[in-house]
Amino acid sequence: AQSVTQLGSHVSVSEGALVLLRCNYSSSVPPYLFWYVQYPNQGLQLLLKYTSAATLVKGINGFEAEFKKSETSFHLTKPSAHMSDAAEYFCAVIYSGGYQKVTFGTGTKLQVIP
Amino acid sequence: GAGVSQSPSNKVTEKGKDVELRCDPISGHTALYWYRQSLGQGLEFLIYFQGNSAPDKSGLPSDRFSAERTGGSVSTLTIQRTQQEDSAVYLCASSLRREGEQFFGPGTRLTVL
């Protein structure tokens, strides 16, 4: 079955340190890929999306993600964490071809330590 | 409206009662999704609408759950004979097309006592 995996349900980084949140998908066909962020007590909002135009995608708030077909990955990064980045991050996938179904990862909670 | 709206924002009900949750998608968005987010859990897909039809109902957890969409716009998620395990935040999202970005509503927090 097609799936999306987020490694690490909780990630802690120091303020100013690199943020790396991992997402792997399972498909031989490049899918549509998204990262969403959910701040405490708020709804989800889109950080960035990959739609095959470019492998390195830049999003809001300094986040970016790189699509690596050879690794079936779409990891989210930010060079320097800020306290306001503390939130839960969800990777989402839509597989092209046949019936297209949206699948969300289980989420990664990011804690930023001052 | 400018975004996806959901009502009510909070609903407290007694076990065994029926509840209806409403979603108003962004005007013109043909795709509409319902998700459930339980404490400590990720997003659980419930149902997807394209227009008024639901090609994918695979996520509905039991036959107590049903949903409809009318006029290609407003959708209602109905839970009959609610159970305590139904307590969660129910999120609605809409998108302009199937592969597009989903815009999420603020959710309805359901508490079943």
Side-chain angles (χ1 to χ4, degrees):
Chain A
Q2 295 170 327
S3 64
V4 56
T5 303
Q6 289 185 243
L7 290 176
S9 57
H10 290 81
V11 171
S12 293
V13 300
S14 298
E15 190 175 16
L18 171 71
V19 176
L20 171 60
L21 305 181
R22 299 177 186 273
C23 174
N24 287 87
Y25 63 93
S26 63
S27 173
S28 59
V29 179
Y32 299 96
L33 294 154
F34 306 82
W35 275 101
Y36 287 85
V37 60
Q38 186 177 32
Y39 297 103
N41 301 314
Q42 295 187 27
L44 279 80
Q45 60 180 280
L46 183 73
L47 265 182
L48 49 81
K49 61 182 177 182
Y50 166 76
T51 56
S52 78
T55 56
L56 181 63
V57 182
K58 294 186 183 298
I60 61 172
N61 301 335
F63 283 92
E64 62 182 36
E66 186 173 7
F67 172 72
K68 291 187 176 180
K69 184 179 178 180
S70 61
E71 299 178 6
T72 60
S73 69
F74 190 58
H75 302 330
L76 181 70
T77 61
K78 182 174 180 177
S80 176
H82 192 273
M83 295 299 295
S84 61
D85 295 328
E88 189 160 18
Y89 294 80
F90 293 90
C91 182
V93 179
I94 297 177
Y95 292 101
S96 55
Y99 177 68
Q100 297 168 349
K101 181 174 181 175
V102 179
T103 303
F104 278 82
T106 53
T108 298
K109 283 190 177 177
L110 176 66
Q111 180 187 23
V112 182
I113 303 167
Chain B
V4 178
S5 60
Q6 292 185 246
S7 60
S9 55
N10 279 284
K11 177 70 177 179
V12 180
T13 190
E14 294 179 348
K15 178 181 173 181
K17 300 282 190 183
D18 298 351
V19 295
E20 283 190 353
L21 312 180
R22 177 188 168 105
C23 172
D24 281 272
I26 293 173
S27 178
H29 281 195
T30 59
L32 185 146
Y33 311 80
W34 282 99
Y35 298 91
R36 180 168 69 175
Q37 188 174 30
S38 304
L39 187 63
Q41 303 294 316
L43 282 168
E44 178 186 3
F45 168 81
L46 297 178
I47 189 169
Y48 152 65
F49 286 92
Q50 182 63 43
N52 291 335
S53 62
D56 188 353
K57 303 179 182 179
S58 63
L60 294 178
S62 76
D63 58 8
R64 295 187 296 105
F65 286 73
S66 63
E68 65 175 12
R69 188 179 185 193
T70 56
S73 181
V74 173
S75 176
T76 302
L77 177 68
T78 302
I79 309 173
Q80 296 178 307
R81 305 180 302 282
T82 52
Q83 303 295 313
Q84 288 183 333
E85 60 263 29
D86 299 335
S87 296
V89 175
Y90 289 82
L91 294 167
C92 174
S94 70
S95 66
L96 190 58
R97 60 188 187 282
R98 191 63 180 87
E99 310 83 14
E101 169 192 355
Q102 293 186 34
F103 292 82
F104 282 81
T108 293
R109 183 175 296 278
L110 175 66
T111 303
V112 182
L113 301 177

